């Protein structure tokens, strides 16, 4: 037996139920990434040895090594989140657990430079305050 | 296909409905019903389509060429990005090809890894088919079904996000196994969510079978007879809706389908050959996929999920076939004893199905063109490929083909010119 | 007696602001918001949320934004034709709304047999849409135009049937007369038996006439990319969008006036209240109490808004329930089912209703003491 408007009761039930499927995302709390979601990177530069394993593993060439004064080999990674595909291969490649992916997901920015982690860091400045190596973006996460 | 160029009736000289000659209506490359650029030229008489000319190749992305420059584990993330919806099946296909080569050299993938891979394959099929149901409903103007089905698709999307760590391109495969194990809680949650999904899908089956307007729009529309379907080499649900029992999971099993799962595998076919038949086949297939997931979770073996593969892949040529949600996916791999492939060739199911669209559309109304087109679940960006035609003069023109030496030479030159083009 | 200039001033102010253009446009935008919210709720969504209270200003914002958009006119199109048609498309529903009773028992403009004029205006609207598609000279607009013409003309007939069935029932050809009949007989027209079916036919055909989903066949986005309105952008599209909202209010208001008693609320069953409201007979006439007249205007406008909003809710429910039919299936439904049924019901109304009115209804009426005339 076919008839039109089969969906009517379900639609009306939706209309008069208080809970809706939509989440008013930035204004309403409640959106949390699942445990283990791959988000922005966190680099603990005190553990980093500059071994280039992450650079070699990265498929879209989002990680580039730049000179640094505190790592063993004199290099440290700079991560461009605009290029990153969040595959996590760099995390797997890192043998010293220096590079990890956090669950921080709000990555949108107004400028391309803001998408790059640790690009503007002055190496001499890094040497002075060795404990706090985080860029402002990372502090939020 | 009529070669004769038919003059376009200008709207100023006469209306389409009362003039006997045909009018050309473009469907695409930009069209609200198409999510990706593709061009179909419809020749219509009044509201009836008499001829269709598809044209592909708007979004060629050069992925096959790019794959030659990357290592195998990098390539897994690359081929995932061929398609946004059936991403896992691409990496499974490449992984199967590589592991197929390695299996000649006594390399085995752990059983548990195969099971988890298959769970994700089937989850992907579930979310892809529900997505298709929403799109098809949107094409026929039934936006409520579209919204509700996409709401319920979130269940399987959330599961995928939790198991693999990403929502779209999962990046869970690795050559020799998978990168993340499934915990006990995740297995329980999978079973719970799949039961919920089956419940909702039963409701959609009921709606699609009972709703009068859906039947009016889909029955007898876009007919593809079994003989034609065979002739045009269709695959996947499109072929199964025409009554051909074609399913790579059953015919040429891979991953966990090789084992006991093959005994409970059902090849869903339906025989009305129209769009309605494709709706039914996809919906029933989704319910079956949920049942396979439950079976896989219940019969999950213990053990490791990763075995370390050798760095270099021995020289071989191998063809790997998998059943994507849209049909048969082919990866042809040519390895040359390095850690990078020498050649990777990908053929996606839409390329096989797209010719059947022009067969389906002939004799139908313009109003039915988009639902017929959507009924093959097209994924144009995956299938697009490029041919270069030298010399635009038609008589002298020929298709520019490469042989492998030319290709190698060109790639070397290109690489020398553009070495480290970033930074 | 007020001076003649004052009467004219009141009339012009009325047309421009309160029951006229200003009020109609605001209620049209409000109803679009209601429509969008309820349509979203049926689909388990929220709908517009951030402009004004729960997004109540979103339709206005959309309209203003469209006005600011670039206005693109194709080379091959009849440019002046497109411009004129857009303006006429906005004018006609506004004109028709002046005949719908909002703050009085009659509209601002009204005369004997204005129902005929309204039916004429409905047909002109169909013609305007046909011309709108024709002038834009687009390959996708052509099928849309053809579909619009055939759909609008075939669903005109059931609407006219419903309108004239009401006229037959109330023995009056003016909207004011129909409303007054309902007040005098203490019941809306819909309580007469076949009129319920006519009301349903009216709603269904209005939905088809307004080209709203699932009957948006002439403007189907996923089939012919917007149909006849494909070449309209910027101000012209804004005019057509506003026109669609006004048409929705017009259809709802006319339905309310013809079947549900128009702006008459509870005083239909409370004669004392009706008499008290009547003491402020008209603002332009002496003998009436001015503030009672003002209260009555506000009260009638409120009742009108409530009734139209209820009908709009029915419209938006209808929007969410079905898949879009093909044009020939939909026309078939009109010619094979809707028109024969309404024709048959016309005959029933003609012969049966006087008998029903005299015998059955008078017995039913006796149950309500307020109904005794």
């Amino acid at each position: 037996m076919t008839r039109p408007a089969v969906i009517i009761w379900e639609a009306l039930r939706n209309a008069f139920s208080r809970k809706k499927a939509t989440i008013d995302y930035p204004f309403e709390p409640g959106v949390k990434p699942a445990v283990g979601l791959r988000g922005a990177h966190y680099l603990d530069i005190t553990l980093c040895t500059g071994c280039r394993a992450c650079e070699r593993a990265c498929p879209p060439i989002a990680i580039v090594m730049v000179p640094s004064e505190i790592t063993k080999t004199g290099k440290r990674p700079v991560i461009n989140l605009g290029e990153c595909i969040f595959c996590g291969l760099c995390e797997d490649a890192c043998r010293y657990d220096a590079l990890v992916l956090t669950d921080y997901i709000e990555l949108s920015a107004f400028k391309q430079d803001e998408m790059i982690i640790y690009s503007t860091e002055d190496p001499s400045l890094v040497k002075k305050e060795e404990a706090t190596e985080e860029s402002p973006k990372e502090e939020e996460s | 296909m009529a070669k004769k160029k038919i003059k376009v009736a200008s709207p100023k000289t006469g209306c389409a409905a009362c003039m006997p000659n045909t009018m050309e209506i473009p469907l695409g490359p930009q069209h609200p019903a198409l999510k990706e650029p593709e061009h179909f030229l419809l020749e219509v008489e009044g509201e009836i389509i008499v001829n269709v000319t598809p044209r592909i190749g708007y979004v060629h992305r050069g992925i096959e060429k790019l794959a030659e420059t990357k290592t195998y584990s990098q390539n897994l993330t690359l081929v995932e990005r061929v398609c946004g919806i059936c991403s896992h099946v691409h990496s499974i296909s490449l992984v199967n090809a590589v592991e197929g080569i390695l299996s000649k050299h006594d390399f085995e993938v752990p059983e548990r890894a195969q099971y988890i891979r298959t769970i994700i394959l089937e989850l992907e099929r579930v979310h892809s088919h529900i997505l298709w149901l929403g799109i098809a409903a949107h094409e026929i103007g039934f936006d409520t079904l579209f919204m509700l089905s996409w709401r319920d698709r979130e269940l399987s999307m959330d599961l995928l996000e939790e198991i693999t760590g990403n929502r779209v391109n999962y990046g869970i495969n690795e050559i020799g196994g998978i990168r993340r194990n499934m915990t006990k809680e995740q297995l329980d949650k999978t079973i719970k969510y799949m039961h919920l999904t089956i419940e909702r899908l039963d409701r959609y089956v009921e709606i699609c079978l009972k709703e009068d307007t859906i039947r009016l729009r889909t029955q007898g529309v876009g007919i593809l007879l079994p003989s034609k379907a065979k002739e045009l080499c269709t695959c996947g649900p499109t072929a199964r809706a025409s009554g051909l029992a074609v399913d790579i999971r059953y015919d040429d099993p891979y991953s966990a389908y090789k084992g006991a799962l093959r005994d409970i595998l059902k090849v869903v076919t339906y025989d009305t050959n129209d769009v309605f038949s494709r709706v039914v086949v996809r919906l029933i297939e989704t319910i079956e996929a949920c049942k396979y997931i439950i079976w896989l979770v219940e019969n999950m073996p213990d053990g490791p999920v990763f075995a370390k593969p050798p760095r270099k892949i021995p020289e071989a040529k191998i063809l790997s076939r998998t059943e994507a949600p849209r049909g048969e996916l082919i990866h042809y791999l040519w390895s040359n004893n390095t850690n990078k492939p020498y050649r990777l060739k990908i053929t996606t199911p839409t390329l096989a199905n797209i010719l059947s669209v022009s067969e389906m559309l002939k004799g139908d109304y313009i109003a039915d063109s988009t639902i017929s087109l959507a009924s093959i679940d097209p994924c144009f960006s995956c299938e697009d490929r490029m041919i270069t035609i030298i010399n635009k003069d038609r008589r002298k023109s020929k298709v520019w083909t490469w042989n492998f030496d030319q290709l190698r030479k060109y790639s070397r030159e290109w690489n020398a010119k553009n070495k480290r083009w970033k930074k | 007696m007020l001076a003649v200039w004052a009467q004219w001033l009141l009339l012009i102010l009325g047309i421009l602001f309160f029951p006229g253009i200003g009020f109609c446009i605001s209620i049209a935008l409000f109803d679009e918001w209601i429509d969008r919210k309820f349509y979203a709720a049926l689909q388990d969504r929220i709908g517009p949320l951030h402009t004004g209270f729960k997004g109540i200003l979103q339709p206005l914002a959309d309209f203003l934004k469209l006005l600011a958009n670039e206005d693109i006119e194709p080379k091959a199109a009849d440019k002046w034709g497109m411009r004129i048609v857009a303006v006429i498309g906005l004018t006609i529903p506004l004109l028709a709304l002046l005949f719908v009773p909002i703050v009085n028992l009659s509209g601002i403009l009204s005369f004997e047999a204005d129902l005929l004029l309204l039916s004429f205006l409905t047909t002109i609207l169909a013609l305007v849409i046909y011309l709108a598609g024709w002038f834009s000279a687009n390959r996708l607009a052509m099928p849309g135009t053809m579909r619009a013409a055939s759909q609008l003309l075939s669903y005109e007939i059931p609407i006219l049937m419903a309108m004239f069935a009401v006229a037959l029932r109330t023995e009056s050809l003016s909207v004011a007369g129909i409303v007054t009949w309902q007040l005098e007989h203490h019941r809306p027209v819909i309580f007469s038996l076949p009129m319920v079916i006519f009301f349903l036919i009216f709603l269904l055909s209005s939905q088809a006439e307004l080209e709203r989903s699932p009957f948006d066949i002439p403007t189907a986005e996923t089939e012919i990319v917007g149909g006849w309105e494909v070449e309209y952008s910027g101000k012209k599209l804004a005019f057509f969008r506003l026109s669609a909202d006004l048409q929705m209010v017009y259809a709802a208001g006319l339905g309310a006036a013809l079947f549900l008693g128009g702006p008459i609320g509870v005083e239909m069953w409370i004669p004392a209240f009706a008499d008290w409201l009547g003491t402020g007979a008209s603002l332009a006439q002496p003998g009436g109490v001015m503030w009672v007249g003002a209260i009555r205007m506000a009260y009638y406008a409120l009742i009108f808004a409530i009734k139209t909003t209820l009908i709009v809710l029915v419209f938006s429910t209808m929007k969410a329930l079905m898949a879009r039919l093909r044009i020939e299936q939909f026309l078939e439904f009109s010619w094979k089912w809707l028109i024969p049924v309404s024709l048959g019901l016309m005959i029933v109304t003609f012969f049966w209703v006087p008998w029903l009115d005299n015998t059955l209804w008078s017995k039913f009426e006796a149950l309500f003491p307020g109904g005794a005339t």
Side-chain angles (χ1 to χ4, degrees):
Chain A
M1 177 61 196
T2 63
R3 62 194 167 83
V6 176
I7 212 163
I8 181 165
W9 299 119
E10 191 167 355
L12 286 176
R13 214 181 308 134
N14 284 336
F16 293 107
S17 73
R18 285 203 67 79
K19 198 170 172 339
K20 296 280 185 286
T22 317
I23 299 167
D24 188 14
Y25 162 57
F27 305 99
E28 188 179 305
V31 181
K32 266 193 185 154
V35 182
L37 185 90
R38 306 193 196 104
H41 297 71
Y42 170 72
L43 177 66
D44 192 348
I45 209 157
T46 50
L47 294 178
C48 182
T49 56
C51 64
R52 305 180 64 135
C54 49
E55 191 199 14
R56 259 181 277 128
C58 185
I61 322 183
I63 298 180
V64 179
M65 305 303 278
V66 296
S68 166
E69 288 181 21
I70 50 169
T71 53
K72 209 186 280 173
T73 55
K75 297 233 173 206
R76 66 178 175 86
V78 162
I79 304 144
N80 184 352
L81 291 179
E83 302 271 341
C84 181
I85 58 172
F86 302 99
C87 57
L89 285 173
C90 49
E91 188 185 15
D92 292 359
C94 189
R95 271 179 289 171
Y96 306 98
D97 290 338
L99 194 63
V100 286
L101 296 185
T102 59
D103 63 348
Y104 181 69
I105 51 168
E106 288 165 344
L107 301 171
S108 54
F110 285 108
K111 285 179 194 161
Q112 282 200 331
D113 297 349
E114 291 170 23
M115 306 282 288
I116 299 173
I117 296 185
Y118 303 118
S119 70
T120 55
E121 206 174 45
D122 188 4
S124 58
L125 211 143
V126 170
K127 212 170 183 182
K128 275 179 203 163
E129 9 175 303
E130 279 178 294
T132 56
E133 304 297 341
E134 294 179 11
S135 77
K137 184 163 230 35
E138 286 302 290
E139 279 162 19
E140 286 169 34
S141 68
Chain B
M1 225 175 272
K3 279 285 170 200
K4 205 178 72 184
K5 188 79 179 167
I6 297 160
K7 200 165 167 268
V8 180
S10 127
K12 291 227 163 174
T13 55
C15 69
C18 51
M19 298 271 289
N21 61 348
T22 57
M23 187 164 117
E24 283 175 348
I25 287 190
L27 182 68
Q30 279 113 27
H31 193 279
L34 300 175
K35 306 295 174 270
E36 290 152 311
E38 206 68 56
H39 181 67
F40 293 86
L41 193 63
L42 313 178
E43 281 171 25
V44 294
E45 267 182 19
E47 284 246 344
I48 294 180
I49 300 165
V50 290
N51 200 3
V52 184
T53 322
R55 195 201 138 180
I56 63 171
Y58 283 89
V59 269
H60 177 72
R61 292 173 294 174
I63 281 187
E64 288 169 5
K65 185 69 202 159
L66 193 56
E68 293 165 21
T69 66
K70 298 197 182 296
T71 61
Y72 282 102
S73 61
Q74 287 178 343
N75 269 332
L76 288 178
T77 58
L78 175 68
V79 292
E80 267 186 350
R81 280 154 178 84
V82 171
C83 183
I85 300 164
C86 41
S87 59
H88 187 68
V89 77
H90 277 274
S91 74
I92 283 280
S93 211
L94 182 57
V95 145
N96 279 344
V98 176
E99 283 163 4
I101 297 172
L102 290 176
S103 69
K104 299 260 166 60
H105 303 264
D106 299 328
F107 178 78
E108 255 192 38
V109 185
E111 189 79 344
R112 190 177 167 91
Q114 296 284 28
Y115 269 63
I116 293 176
R117 277 179 189 177
T118 314
I119 285 176
I120 293 166
L121 271 177
E122 291 297 328
L123 271 175
E124 192 177 75
R125 194 181 313 280
V126 170
H127 96 72
S128 168
H129 280 353
I130 300 179
L131 175 131
W132 177 81
L133 175 70
I135 288 182
H138 179 63
E139 303 291 356
I140 56 173
F142 199 172
D143 276 357
T144 311
L145 185 57
F146 165 52
M147 294 290 170
L148 294 186
S149 60
W150 278 38
R151 178 193 69 190
D152 299 326
R153 172 173 170 262
E154 282 303 301
L155 289 176
S156 44
M157 293 295 283
D158 285 349
L159 269 183
L160 283 170
E161 182 183 335
E162 195 164 328
I163 296 170
T164 64
N166 270 351
R167 267 173 83 85
V168 179
N169 299 117
Y170 315 115
I172 195 176
N173 272 333
E174 186 60 76
I175 289 160
I178 55 168
R179 285 167 54 193
R180 288 188 184 191
N181 203 343
M182 274 175 87
T183 58
K184 184 81 183 60
E185 295 85 61
Q186 281 173 346
L187 293 174
D188 293 344
K189 199 174 176 185
T190 310
I191 288 190
K192 198 179 112 197
Y193 274 23
M194 279 305 114
H195 281 300
L196 281 175
T197 312
I198 288 178
E199 199 180 291
R200 290 301 308 167
L201 282 167
D202 283 340
R203 176 80 185 120
Y204 294 135
V205 170
E206 192 196 331
I207 287 171
C208 287
L209 292 183
K210 280 192 178 172
E211 171 69 50
D212 227 352
T213 47
I214 290 182
R215 289 180 81 114
L216 278 171
R217 281 308 298 275
T218 53
Q219 281 184 330
V221 167
I223 286 180
L224 183 69
L225 294 174
S227 57
K228 275 282 174 192
K230 216 171 208 171
E231 218 171 85
L232 294 166
C233 302
T234 55
C235 58
T238 316
R240 268 170 261 153
S242 290
L244 308 177
V246 192
D247 194 333
I248 307 297
R249 289 178 290 171
Y250 190 81
D251 299 339
D252 185 9
Y254 52 94
S255 296
Y257 301 114
K258 274 180 196 158
L261 181 59
R262 190 166 184 248
D263 302 333
I264 63 159
L265 209 65
K266 280 183 208 150
V267 181
V268 184
T269 56
Y270 202 71
D271 54 357
T272 56
N273 307 332
D274 51 7
V275 176
F276 184 70
S277 150
R278 282 162 219 141
V279 176
V280 171
V281 163
R282 284 213 172 79
L283 276 173
I284 304 225
E285 219 172 271
T286 322
I287 296 177
E288 291 298 320
C290 294
K291 287 177 186 162
Y292 304 154
I293 293 168
I294 293 170
W295 186 92
L296 283 165
V297 171
E298 280 166 355
N299 295 286
M300 175 87 77
D302 285 334
V305 292
F306 183 68
K308 194 157 175 46
R311 257 179 76 81
K312 288 176 179 171
I313 308 299
E315 184 169 350
K317 296 171 191 172
I318 192 163
L319 184 94
S320 128
R321 306 199 289 164
T322 38
E323 179 76 10
R326 288 158 177 74
E328 181 184 348
L329 170 69
I330 300 169
H331 275 225
Y332 172 72
L333 176 72
W334 187 349
S335 61
N336 59 349
N337 206 12
T338 58
N339 60 351
K340 290 174 183 172
Y342 181 74
R343 177 85 173 94
L344 176 66
K345 175 97 188 95
I346 304 170
T347 303
T348 60
T350 311
L351 189 68
N353 284 336
I354 199 160
L355 282 178
S356 63
V357 171
S358 53
E359 183 62 34
M360 284 174 202
L361 289 183
K362 269 176 212 166
D364 274 359
Y365 293 93
I366 307 176
D368 293 330
S369 58
T370 49
I371 178 68
S372 293
L373 178 56
S375 73
I376 65 160
D377 201 355
C379 194
F380 297 124
S381 302
C382 317
E383 53 91 30
D384 262 351
R385 47 211 63 242
M386 185 185 69
I387 43 172
T388 312
I389 294 172
I390 312 167
N391 197 343
K392 290 210 170 152
D393 183 6
R394 268 201 193 167
R395 276 176 224 154
K396 292 175 193 165
S397 69
K398 61 173 184 182
V399 175
W400 191 23
T401 50
W402 302 86
N403 62 28
F404 274 100
D405 293 332
Q406 282 173 334
L407 201 63
R408 256 194 105 101
K409 199 176 154 219
Y410 177 77
S411 76
R412 273 189 196 140
E413 280 168 9
W414 191 89
N415 270 325
K417 217 192 293 170
N418 301 295
K419 189 129 199 184
R420 292 301 288 189
W421 66 98
K422 279 179 207 164
K423 303 233 164 118
Chain C
M1 196 77 186
L2 281 174
V4 177
W5 65 266
Q7 281 186 27
W8 277 100
L9 188 70
L10 272 179
L11 184 65
I12 288 169
L13 284 179
I15 289 176
L16 283 183
F17 299 109
F18 177 47
I21 297 170
F23 179 73
C24 287
I25 288 180
S26 30
I27 204 165
L29 294 175
F30 173 73
D31 276 350
E32 193 198 337
W33 174 70
I34 288 278
D35 176 38
R36 281 167 72 168
K37 276 300 234 196
F38 195 66
Y39 182 55
L42 287 167
Q43 297 178 344
D44 213 354
R45 296 187 286 121
I46 297 178
L49 201 61
H50 289 295
T51 324
F53 169 73
K54 302 254 180 199
I56 195 167
L57 293 178
Q58 192 62 48
L60 180 67
D62 288 352
F63 177 69
L64 293 178
K65 185 246 167 203
L66 261 185
L67 279 184
N69 266 13
E70 189 191 352
D71 203 346
I72 303 163
E73 284 166 335
K75 222 174 189 177
D78 188 336
K79 295 194 181 70
W80 274 104
M82 281 170 85
R83 289 169 202 166
I84 291 170
V85 154
V87 174
I88 292 179
L90 182 61
T91 318
I92 288 180
L94 273 175
L95 177 61
L97 267 170
L98 296 183
F99 288 91
V100 173
I102 297 176
V103 294
N104 256 324
L105 295 186
S106 64
I108 306 174
L109 309 174
S110 87
F111 60 93
E112 279 304 314
D114 51 5
L115 208 58
L116 286 177
L117 182 75
L118 287 183
S119 65
F120 171 69
L121 286 179
T122 332
T123 318
I124 290 279
L125 259 178
L127 189 67
V128 163
I129 285 171
Y130 177 82
L131 285 177
W134 183 261
F135 285 146
S136 57
N138 184 300
R139 279 188 227 176
L140 291 163
M142 273 304 117
T145 311
M146 296 307 150
R147 289 175 183 197
S150 40
Q151 176 179 328
L152 295 184
L153 291 178
S154 9
Y155 278 83
E156 204 97 285
I157 299 166
I159 286 193
L160 296 186
M161 294 274 195
M163 275 159 71
F164 290 115
V166 176
L168 203 62
R169 179 73 187 82
T170 57
E171 295 165 1
S172 162
L173 263 179
S174 75
V175 183
I178 290 167
V179 174
T180 321
W181 183 90
Q182 301 181 57
L183 185 61
E184 280 167 2
H185 287 70
H186 306 284
R187 61 174 183 272
V189 169
I190 194 173
F191 283 3
S192 309
L193 201 61
M195 290 301 157
V196 183
I197 304 167
F198 268 126
F199 183 56
L200 296 179
I201 288 174
F202 182 84
L203 288 183
L204 193 78
S205 314
S206 306
Q207 184 88 346
E209 196 82 350
L210 295 169
E211 295 178 7
R212 285 155 58 81
S213 169
F215 309 135
D216 57 344
I217 303 162
T219 53
E221 201 204 350
T222 49
E223 285 163 14
I224 45 172
V225 205
W228 57 265
E229 60 177 29
V230 63
E231 286 294 357
Y232 287 86
S233 56
K235 294 180 197 65
K236 295 197 276 281
L237 186 63
F239 281 5
F240 273 122
R241 287 283 153 84
L242 187 63
S243 164
D245 291 346
L246 284 168
Q247 284 172 43
M248 186 171 74
V249 174
Y250 163 58
L254 191 65
L258 294 185
F259 293 96
L260 304 179
I264 308 168
V266 285
E267 82 271 22
M268 201 181 276
W269 297 285
I270 309 173
F273 187 37
D275 289 343
W276 181 78
L277 281 177
T279 52
S282 166
L283 281 180
Q285 275 167 16
V289 188
M290 192 78 174
W291 57 272
V292 174
I295 286 177
R296 187 186 55 186
M297 277 172 85
Y299 171 74
Y300 276 172
L302 183 72
I303 298 285
F304 173 82
I306 290 172
K307 280 181 180 171
T308 45
T309 308
L310 282 177
I311 293 181
V312 165
L313 285 181
V314 177
F315 279 157
S316 39
T317 315
M318 244 194 269
K319 205 170 152 187
L321 295 183
M322 274 177 275
R324 185 195 301 127
L325 290 172
R326 264 203 310 271
I327 181 73
E328 93 281 359
Q329 290 165 342
F330 194 48
L331 294 187
E332 207 175 283
F333 177 67
S334 168
W335 290 102
K336 277 191 180 168
W337 294 99
L338 230 47
I339 293 175
V341 165
S342 45
L343 261 177
L345 283 175
M346 279 285 260
I347 297 166
V348 169
T349 320
F350 191 71
F351 289 111
W352 188 41
V353 163
W355 167 80
L356 181 97
D357 210 29
N358 292 336
T359 56
L360 259 178
W361 187 260
S362 51
K363 276 178 197 160
F364 183 67
E365 220 167 27
L367 298 175
F368 295 95
T373 37

